[in-house]
Amino acid sequence: MKALSKAFAFATVITLMMGGTSVFASRSNPNIYINGEKLDIYANVTYLGTTLVPMRPIFEKYGMAIEWDNSTKTVTASKDNKLIVLTNNSYDAFLNGEKVVLNQAPSLEPTSNIFYVNLRFISEALGASVTWDKTANDATININFAK
């Protein structure tokens, strides 16, 4: 019994160290559509229900200028009158200088150096509506900007 407890504890620690937030259901990697156009991007849904996507492709898709500060692991993205600042493993985001507390911190994947950010937060900060369509086997995220 003691060995089983140690094995469970070890597995839990490894899962948490590796991000442990992934949902393993088939709906964990939803399709994403922006104004009806399918986006070819990897998306991962965390156990908190937050959809994380790689920062560079989503900011570029939204036409945002990107600055990465490697020393602080902070990205600053801007477009028109919107300025978004996100820091690795920080629940505090900044939108036009105002602090916004996120339900899931953005994170830098150490092996690939990909910075994952909250899709809903970024989309809504830019004025989009975000909806989910779920079926038994998959999910679709629809992001729509008013025209």
Side-chain angles (χ1 to χ4, degrees):
M1 187 66 162
K2 196 173 196 180
L4 183 59
S5 294
K6 284 183 181 181
F8 179 74
F10 179 74
T12 302
V13 168
I14 294 299
T15 300
L16 291 173
M17 287 175 52
M18 296 179 72
T21 58
S22 295
V23 176
F24 294 103
S26 59
R27 294 188 288 179
S28 64
N29 301 108
N31 292 312
I32 300 171
Y33 289 84
I34 300 173
N35 290 335
E37 178 186 333
K38 186 173 182 185
L39 184 61
D40 185 22
I41 190 172
Y42 172 78
N44 182 37
V45 180
T46 70
Y47 74 96
L48 294 173
T50 303
T51 303
L52 298 179
V53 295
M55 91 77 193
R56 187 163 302 279
I58 197 64
F59 284 140
E60 288 176 351
K61 179 66 177 174
Y62 290 161
M64 301 186 81
I66 307 166
E67 292 180 32
W68 174 254
D69 183 335
N70 200 44
S71 63
T72 62
K73 306 294 188 245
T74 299
V75 64
T76 302
S78 60
K79 179 181 180 180
D80 301 329
N81 62 347
K82 299 291 181 174
L83 180 71
I84 297 172
V85 180
L86 300 164
T87 301
N88 185 46
N89 293 324
S90 175
Y91 287 90
D92 296 337
F94 292 89
L95 176 59
N96 295 336
E98 296 289 322
K99 182 171 128 178
V100 177
V101 179
L102 303 172
N103 66 342
Q104 177 76 47
S107 62
L108 182 64
E109 209 313 298
T111 57
S112 65
N113 278 334
I114 296 174
F115 190 56
Y116 288 92
V117 296
N118 181 318
L119 178 63
R120 179 180 293 275
F121 168 71
I122 293 163
S123 301
E124 289 180 347
L126 295 175
S129 65
V130 180
T131 59
W132 272 77
D133 291 324
K134 300 176 193 175
T135 66
N137 297 320
D138 63 2
T140 300
I141 299 172
N142 293 296
I143 300 167
N144 292 296
F145 289 90
K147 295 184 181 190

